[in-house]
Amino acid sequence: MGRIVSIGECMGELSETGAPGALNMGFAGDTLNTAWYLRRLLDAHWQIDYVTAIGSDGLSDRLIDFLNQEEIGTQYVQRLTDKTIGLYYITLKDGERSFTYWRNDSAARRLASDPARLEAALDGADIAYFSGITLAILPPADRLTLIDTLSRFAGRGGRVVFDPNLRLRLWDNVETMRGWINRAIAISDLSLPSFDDEAAHYGDRNPEATAGRFRDTGAQRVIVKNGAGEITILDRAGSLEKLAVPPAPAIVDTTAAGDSFNAGFLAAELTGATIQQSVTAGALLAGRVIGARGALVRSATEVAPT
C-alpha cells in the first residue's frame, strides 16, 4: 500500500448558485483539490492523507466530516481552539475566476508549528505534495521547518512533488517569494510550474526557459503547464520534450485547472503510465474540470483520464 501526504490550506469556498443572492458553500484549496482528485482516481492501495491546521468550531467540524466522507485521511489535521479556517468567494467572468479572501488569521498558518507532528505525518509516506501557497501562508520560521522536514524526507528516499502556484499577494515582496520558491524547487523530485505565472514573476521567455531554470535550481523532473498550449517535459536525463494536449471542450470555470492536472498526472504515473501518457491524462482531467463550476467536479472523474 502506498501513501501520499498533501500539505496545505483548505478553506471554505463560497460561490454563486445562480439564484439571486444565493451562495453555495463547499471546501477547497489548491493542495486539497489535488488530494481530492487523487483519492477519486487511485484505488484503495493508495492512502491519501491531508496535513493542515483547523479550528475547533462548527465550520472546522464540517471540514473534518467532509474529508472523512471523501476518504481523505485526517489523522494529521491539527485542531486549534483559538482559530478557524479561512474563507474565499469566487467571482467568474468569461470563465476566468477572481477571489476575495478572508484568511489572514487562518488556522492553517500554523500547520508547520509542531515539527514532531509534521515528521510523524511524513513517516512511511511515499510522496509529499505541497505548493507555493503552502509556503506563503506560513511564518518564516515555519517555512524553514517545512522545507527542512521535506528535505529530510527526500533524503530518506521520499518523493517531494511541488507546484509553485505563485501568488504574489500572499508574499511580502517578489524577492522573498522567489527565495522560498527556489528552496522548495531544490528539494523536489518533480516540479509542476505554470508558464504564465513563471513568466510574470521570473521573466522566463518561454516554457523551455522555465524548465531549464527549475532544473538548474535542483528539480529532478519538470512539467511546465501552459494553458491550452504545448506542455514542456524535462526528464531526469535532462531531455526536453514538448507535447500537444487535447483542447478542453468548453471553459466554464478555470478554478483548479492546475490542481486537477497535477492529480491526473500523478495518478496515471503511479499506475504505470509513461510520462507522456501521464501528461495527457492530466490535461484531459483538467479539461473536464474547467468545463464545470467549482474546484471539485465529481463528474470529471467518472471517465478515467487515460
Side-chain angles (χ1 to χ4, degrees):
M1 185 171 184
R3 189 161 74 92
I4 301 172
V5 175
S6 188
I7 306 168
E9 180 180 27
C10 182
M11 294 178 285
E13 178 191 77
L14 301 172
S15 57
E16 297 177 0
T17 63
L23 294 175
N24 179 65
M25 208 211 64
F27 296 103
D30 66 334
T31 57
L32 185 277
N33 300 340
T34 299
W36 188 86
Y37 283 108
L38 280 168
R39 178 65 288 157
R40 294 183 67 83
L41 293 169
L42 292 170
D43 64 23
H45 290 95
W46 284 95
Q47 169 70 23
I48 312 296
D49 288 333
Y50 198 61
V51 172
T52 192
I54 64 174
S56 299
D57 58 303
L59 185 56
S60 298
D61 289 342
R62 285 184 60 184
L63 171 56
I64 287 291
D65 290 343
F66 168 77
L67 294 174
N68 287 332
Q69 178 183 330
E70 299 300 326
E71 300 182 344
I72 296 171
T74 59
Q75 179 180 357
Y76 301 104
V77 174
Q78 187 176 4
R79 305 295 299 264
L80 305 174
T81 58
D82 59 339
K83 302 290 181 184
T84 189
I85 66 172
L87 295 171
Y88 71 95
Y89 170 65
I90 299 175
T91 302
L92 282 174
K93 183 177 181 181
D94 300 326
E96 290 298 324
R97 78 276 195 229
S98 59
F99 302 103
T100 302
Y101 290 101
W102 298 268
R103 74 195 305 183
N104 287 342
D105 198 33
S106 165
R109 292 181 177 273
R110 290 165 56 181
L111 67 84
S113 62
D114 185 343
R117 178 186 289 268
L118 200 55
E119 290 277 6
L122 292 173
D123 185 34
D126 298 278
I127 294 173
Y129 176 80
F130 76 122
S131 75
I133 292 177
T134 309
L135 281 176
I137 66 172
L138 301 179
D142 290 357
R143 287 176 194 153
L144 185 58
T145 295
L146 179 58
I147 291 292
D148 285 349
T149 303
L150 289 169
S151 180
R152 288 191 293 273
F153 171 75
R156 297 192 297 269
R159 291 177 53 196
V160 176
V161 179
F162 177 61
D163 183 340
N165 220 348
L166 303 176
R167 299 292 182 267
L168 184 56
R169 73 169 71 178
L170 298 178
W171 297 90
D172 293 335
N173 53 62
V174 70
E175 290 78 16
T176 299
M177 180 181 73
R178 288 173 179 167
W180 286 103
I181 293 296
N182 287 347
R183 289 190 185 200
I185 294 168
I187 61 170
S188 70
D189 172 77
L190 172 65
S191 284
L192 296 153
S194 295
F195 175 63
D196 55 350
D197 287 347
E198 302 299 325
H201 299 301
Y202 282 87
D204 295 340
R205 299 182 309 280
N206 50 49
E208 294 91 335
T210 298
R213 176 171 55 81
F214 271 68
R215 184 60 181 264
D216 291 344
T217 306
Q220 298 299 303
R221 298 187 298 155
V222 187
I223 308 295
V224 184
K225 295 166 284 187
N226 192 23
E230 292 180 319
I231 292 176
T232 301
I233 303 167
L234 186 64
D235 66 18
R236 293 187 197 282
S239 298
L240 196 71
E241 179 181 354
K242 297 181 76 68
L243 185 67
V245 295
I251 300 177
V252 174
D253 178 359
T254 57
T255 303
D259 307 331
S260 57
F261 174 93
N262 297 349
F265 175 90
L266 287 170
E269 186 170 68
L270 291 171
T271 51
T274 66
I275 194 167
Q276 295 83 3
Q277 291 169 334
S278 300
V279 165
T280 299
L284 287 171
L285 177 60
R288 292 194 291 274
V289 168
I290 66 176
R293 286 181 177 267
L296 307 181
V297 180
R298 293 182 184 279
S299 60
T301 59
E302 291 176 358
V303 179
T306 57

